[in-house]
Amino acid sequence: MLQEETVIHHHAHHFTSANHEFEAAKQGMWIFLVTEVLMFGGLFVAYGLFRGLYPEMFHEAHQHLAVHMGALNTVVLITSSLTMALSVSSAQKGHKVSSVRYLVLTLILACCFLGVKYFEYSHKFHDGLLPGGFFTNTEIKSPKASLFFSLYFMMTGLHGIHVLIGMGVISWILRRTLRGEFGPSYYTPIELVGLYWHFVDLVWIYLFPLLYLVG
Amino acid sequence: MSNNSAVVQGEDHYLNHSRGLMSWLGTLDHKRIGLMYLFSVLLFFLMGGVFALLIRLELFKWGGHNLVDANTYNKFFTYHGAIMVFLVVIPAIPAALGNFILPIMLGAKDVAFPRLNLASYYIFMTGALFAVLALFLRGADTGWTFYTPYSIRTNTTVLLVLFGAFIAGFSSILTGLNFIVTIHKLRAPGLTWMRLPLFCWALYATSIIQVLATPVLAITLVLLCMERILQIGIFDPKLGGDPILFQHFFWFYSHPAVYIMILPAMGIISEIIPVFSRKPIFGYKAIAYSSFGIALIAFIVWGHHMFVSGQSELANFVFSLLTMFVAVPTGVKVFSWVGTMYRGSIHFNAPMLYAFGFLELFTMGGLTGVFLATLAIDVHLTNTYFVVAHFHYVMVGGTLMGLLAGLHYWFPKMFGRMYSETAAKIGFWLIVIGFNVTFFPQFILGAQGMPRRYWSYLPEFTFLNRISTLGSGLIGVGFIYTAYYFYRGMRSGAKADANPWNAQTLEWKTSSPPPHENFHETPVVTQWPYEYLPEDTSMPANLR
Ligand SMILES: [Cu+2]
């Protein structure tokens, strides 16, 4: 029976039990996410500094971002966080088929996100709304508007790379799920990937208002 | 294969457990990974040291053009600084000695994530490869601090060095993460927090800094790379950006990084002093917690690097005041060590000599740090050789003395053999005298106004520069000699028993060298590791 496979996972020699190993892995993941917060933190500080220095420019420049696309992507990512969470809980209960189904759904939503991002980026390229020295747009009247787009591309770009990495690790746990490696007694990797994916989602929830909804 | 202990004990150990190059390159054993780090770091130390000697040779005579032209000189000090900081003093103690000793001290079989540990090593080496590759292209001439906007415009291959430092940073982050989880999750039964050896406490505080500060360096270096690739302009005044922001970001990492270098060294000193004074450590909790005090303050003092960079007066005042607070937890440690030695029966073995070396040099480095934290003095001394002397006393006097103390202390554990004690004493005096002869004159030169990073100087500075160069030669001889007697010790030193120093931390309760899984049976801890009795002077006779 597919749904009730028993999974025997042998913990590594330096742990006393599988649960011990799970707790350690989870703590490691949380610490890793803290380092991610600090890495994005640098960009948020730069954003705050330049928004304080050039408030009018930020306001004018942000009108050239497509709010509806950003909003759509927000919905897409939040939904993907939900499907990811459902996949983790299915794996914990040993429901392999639904876990696989939700993982595939998460992957599809991630692709949608990148697809929308692709259209947004190509539109910016077309309008000459590019970082720093490559900025050629003439519609925006405020000086230094290239800075806004530098920040836009750096922040969404770094986030996009995280989405790509997320898709990579989701594919990896999908493969392992298909092989029947996870079950109620062992689901550490899928749980950790879930944490990571929620973090990627959370970053976007900050990026969207900061970049698209400048008051 | 190590279960039948009676026969195996003393025969099967981590060095001969498996053989061949691949058994090293693919090892998950923290001890082997620690040794790989150690030898890599020593290789980079040799490279950085050669650049240092070249710098000193150029400065032997006034007037420039002694050895190289000014542009090449700029590359020399950039390489000396970048290699020594990113590839030597940051990884030296945590990644090399910490990797080897921490799990054994905890009574664990390995670090929490052995695969990640090996990956960290290769990440480190990849970063190093990029940085060293730049050497063979157009080099880099920005200094190790990569200040903008010059680092955006220079036509050297600074991009590769930035990228290398960025990659190597992840190794530091992942090592810190690994250590934190290891300390939390893998302590032996009975090893409560208040029984934890002080080296472990120090590594814990260090790991927190590695985990919290290095990601900020990562994003800073990414942005600087992007300045060069995409001209994003965030640090470029020409495009509306702010070069001072780069300095804030850079020092937000690089000041705490000083404590990544110094805290583990302090941990080593805290282990060595009670053992060689045959006395319980004085102020255990104070030493343990002051590491966290230092780590905390480390994050709020970065602005002292920017007193003349156009920061506001108020910021200067606040950063100056906060910086002086660093002296408080540091002083707590120094007085606790002195308190430990007071009325102890002190054994002047090489590890202890280096601990004294640490106390002398680090205290001078630390106190001149308080000088420099004082605004009015700093404005006068900024960018002079006084600053150069100050941070060399801290980094060499602190980290390198700590590293050497630790290497001598744990050498018998690592290789199962002893080095020559007499040779070690000679090496110690060569290095310590050489160090003071090199760097003490630089305090005077700096106070007299000789600026740093220049290829030449006024004729009146000639005499002290000559002395400084001679001293650097002495350090070089000292290190070559040290490498020589270590090598001899590894090859043909007297066999070391499990606990040559009669010390009490767990690594001395297993054989030397330790077996593949560190202990034949998981140890159970019943007391703290500093239970030395005043009348017990039981150091083995040949080591007294
Ligand atoms: Cu500093």
Side-chain angles (χ1 to χ4, degrees):
Chain A
M1 211 164 89
L2 260 178
Q3 308 242 327
E4 299 292 327
E5 264 175 298
T6 45
V7 179
I8 302 150
H9 174 71
H10 297 283
H11 55 89
H13 74 131
H14 54 296
F15 291 107
T16 51
S17 67
N19 189 52
H20 189 201
E21 185 171 31
F22 172 70
E23 291 297 327
K26 207 162 164 177
Q27 188 181 45
M29 192 65 199
W30 277 107
I31 298 171
F32 173 72
L33 293 182
V34 170
T35 71
E36 289 276 43
V37 170
L38 279 145
M39 187 147 111
F40 277 100
L43 284 172
F44 283 110
V45 168
Y47 173 91
L49 177 85
F50 289 117
R51 184 167 165 179
L53 279 177
Y54 310 112
E56 289 86 9
M57 180 275 276
F58 265 59
H59 184 74
E60 191 187 349
H62 104 281
Q63 290 166 338
H64 290 257
L65 300 186
V67 183
H68 57 283
M69 283 190 161
L72 173 67
N73 257 350
T74 310
V75 175
V76 167
L77 265 197
I78 290 177
T79 315
S80 80
S81 238
L82 176 71
T83 55
M84 188 72 225
L86 288 170
S87 170
V88 174
S89 77
S90 304
Q92 287 169 345
K93 291 181 197 130
H95 300 158
K96 182 174 147 185
V97 173
S98 66
S99 177
V100 167
R101 195 181 297 142
Y102 286 124
L103 280 180
V104 172
L105 220 56
T106 312
L107 271 180
I108 293 173
L109 287 166
C111 285
C112 291
F113 177 88
L114 289 181
V116 172
K117 211 77 228 144
Y118 168 78
F119 285 116
E120 278 192 84
Y121 273 14
S122 37
H123 195 239
K124 301 285 164 305
F125 289 171
H126 180 261
D127 288 351
L129 297 166
L130 289 164
F134 296 96
F135 186 83
T136 52
N137 186 283
T138 48
E139 279 172 52
I140 301 181
K141 295 287 167 284
S142 315
K144 323 277 190 210
S146 65
L147 268 181
F148 178 84
F149 290 95
S150 294
L151 285 165
Y152 169 78
F153 278 106
M154 286 302 114
M155 293 170 102
T156 57
L158 187 65
H159 177 260
I161 290 171
H162 278 77
V163 172
L164 274 176
I165 294 171
M167 291 170 70
V169 287
I170 290 171
S171 311
W172 169 66
I173 53 166
L174 179 62
R175 214 173 107 112
R176 292 186 65 180
T177 308
L178 286 169
R179 283 191 191 156
E181 289 184 30
F182 305 130
S185 64
Y186 176 66
Y187 49 84
T188 311
I190 186 163
E191 167 116 7
L192 299 190
V193 170
L195 281 176
Y196 172 82
W197 191 252
H198 297 319
F199 168 79
V200 173
D201 184 20
L202 193 67
V203 171
W204 179 259
I205 289 178
Y206 281 94
L207 288 183
F208 174 61
L210 284 179
L211 293 167
Y212 292 78
L213 307 175
V214 179
Chain B
M1 64 182 280
S2 59
N3 281 345
N4 269 336
S5 54
V7 189
V8 172
Q9 212 156 12
E11 285 181 5
D12 178 67
H13 53 74
Y14 81 100
L15 290 169
N16 64 12
H17 180 73
S18 51
R19 287 181 188 280
L21 186 65
M22 285 321 290
S23 78
W24 281 85
L25 295 181
T27 185
L28 298 181
D29 183 345
H30 68 97
K31 300 182 285 304
R32 288 190 167 199
I33 295 173
L35 283 194
M36 296 202 298
Y37 267 117
L38 182 64
F39 288 111
S40 312
V41 162
L42 291 177
L43 179 75
F44 297 131
F45 180 66
L46 178 69
M47 286 175 61
V50 167
F51 283 112
L53 289 176
L54 290 172
I55 291 171
R56 285 312 323 166
L57 277 179
E58 171 60 40
L59 296 176
F60 188 67
K61 260 167 59 190
W62 74 276
H65 282 302
N66 298 321
L67 200 65
V68 289
D69 59 59
N71 283 327
T72 313
Y73 180 81
N74 291 348
K75 291 178 185 175
F76 282 179
F77 73 67
T78 301
Y79 267 99
H80 167 66
I83 290 175
M84 287 301 202
V85 170
F86 294 115
L87 304 182
V88 181
V89 283
I90 285 179
I93 299 180
L97 288 181
N99 239 321
F100 193 100
I101 294 298
L102 175 74
I104 316 183
M105 264 190 170
L106 296 174
K109 289 184 179 136
D110 210 316
V111 292
F113 311 116
R115 242 172 262 278
L116 190 68
N117 198 19
L118 182 65
S120 308
Y121 173 74
Y122 284 111
I123 293 171
F124 172 69
M125 291 307 278
T126 311
L129 193 73
F130 275 105
V132 173
L133 192 64
L135 259 178
F136 298 101
L137 300 163
R138 272 170 285 125
D141 63 349
T142 57
W144 76 279
T145 48
F146 310 121
Y147 269 20
T148 54
Y150 182 69
S151 54
I152 304 175
R153 314 244 192 277
T154 170
N155 63 0
T156 52
T157 35
V158 68
L159 190 63
L160 277 180
V161 183
L162 293 170
F163 193 58
F166 168 74
I167 294 178
F170 283 98
S171 146
S172 188
I173 292 175
L174 295 173
T175 302
L177 185 156
N178 219 334
F179 283 7
I180 292 177
V181 179
T182 305
I183 294 171
H184 269 278
K185 301 290 182 190
L186 294 181
R187 302 195 308 281
L191 187 53
T192 58
W193 287 102
M194 281 302 121
R195 288 173 183 167
L196 203 60
L198 288 163
F199 183 52
C200 303
W201 276 113
L203 282 178
Y204 191 171
T206 310
S207 300
I208 289 179
I209 303 179
Q210 283 174 289
V211 161
L212 295 183
T214 321
V216 178
L217 176 75
I219 192 68
T220 310
L221 296 179
V222 166
L223 288 175
L224 188 48
C225 286
M226 287 301 151
E227 291 286 357
R228 288 187 68 92
I229 300 168
L230 294 177
Q231 307 171 32
I232 54 173
I234 286 174
F235 300 135
D236 191 344
K238 215 170 69 182
L239 294 164
D242 186 357
I244 304 294
L245 181 67
F246 174 82
Q247 296 185 21
H248 278 294
F249 278 177
F250 184 81
W251 290 113
F252 184 82
Y253 166 76
S254 293
H255 184 81
V258 174
Y259 300 109
I260 299 178
M261 305 167 192
I262 202 71
L263 281 173
M266 289 170 157
I268 291 174
I269 303 307
S270 305
E271 294 301 330
I272 287 174
I273 284 182
V275 173
F276 292 88
S277 306
R278 312 312 300 167
K279 261 190 71 191
I281 187 90
F282 177 84
Y284 170 86
K285 282 188 187 174
I287 295 179
Y289 294 152
S290 60
S291 293
F292 291 87
I294 292 175
L296 183 77
I297 300 174
F299 280 101
I300 48 173
V301 299
W302 77 89
H304 63 218
H305 294 272
M306 302 164 60
F307 284 159
V308 297
S309 294
Q311 220 172 212
S312 75
E313 285 300 304
L314 178 69
N316 278 352
F317 164 73
V318 172
F319 278 122
S320 165
L321 187 72
L322 288 172
T323 300
M324 293 185 192
F325 277 116
V326 183
V328 177
T330 311
V332 165
K333 280 183 195 289
V334 173
F335 287 119
S336 296
W337 293 326
V338 175
T340 307
M341 287 189 279
Y342 178 66
R343 306 191 65 153
S345 93
I346 294 174
H347 299 262
F348 291 91
N349 297 89
M352 189 63 168
L353 281 181
Y354 276 107
F356 281 117
F358 175 94
L359 281 176
E360 188 250 327
L361 302 183
F362 177 75
T363 304
M364 283 184 65
L367 287 178
T368 49
V370 180
F371 281 30
L372 289 169
T374 316
L375 270 176
I377 296 176
D378 184 75
V379 171
H380 176 69
L381 293 173
T382 289
N383 272 336
T384 66
Y385 263 84
F386 193 92
V387 178
V388 175
H390 154 68
F391 68 71
H392 280 86
Y393 267 84
V394 173
M395 289 179 192
V396 184
T399 312
L400 225 52
M401 286 291 128
L403 176 71
L404 284 165
L407 272 179
H408 285 85
Y409 180 55
W410 285 307
F411 185 90
K413 183 55 63 185
M414 297 170 118
F415 303 107
R417 291 180 184 276
M418 300 301 296
Y419 49 84
S420 153
E421 186 68 34
T422 320
K425 285 189 173 121
I426 297 170
F428 167 79
W429 287 112
L430 282 173
I431 291 173
V432 164
I433 293 173
F435 178 84
N436 281 300
V437 172
T438 308
F439 290 105
F440 196 82
Q442 297 186 6
F443 279 127
I444 304 170
L445 285 168
Q448 290 175 345
M450 178 175 163
R452 64 189 284 206
R453 289 184 166 176
Y454 277 64
W455 161 70
S456 186
Y457 47 79
L458 297 174
E460 58 259 41
F461 297 137
T462 308
F463 176 66
L464 288 173
N465 268 295
R466 290 214 159 161
I467 291 183
S468 183
T469 301
L470 291 176
S472 69
L474 207 54
I475 305 179
V477 172
F479 274 113
I480 291 167
Y481 183 64
T482 304
Y484 162 74
Y485 72 73
F486 269 157
Y487 175 74
R488 272 198 48 189
M490 273 159 74
R491 290 298 297 261
S492 56
K495 282 245 186 295
D497 58 17
N499 191 358
W501 314 121
N502 204 359
Q504 298 182 0
T505 39
L506 281 179
E507 77 272 27
W508 303 107
K509 301 227 172 0
T510 186
S511 48
S512 302
H516 174 62
E517 293 203 320
N518 294 344
F519 297 92
H520 294 288
E521 275 164 43
T522 305
V524 177
V525 180
T526 52
Q527 59 171 28
W528 79 328
Y530 302 105
E531 214 49 73
Y532 298 99
L533 302 169
E535 63 274 17
D536 160 36
T537 52
S538 50
M539 186 76 71
N542 58 330
L543 297 171
R544 251 174 236 172

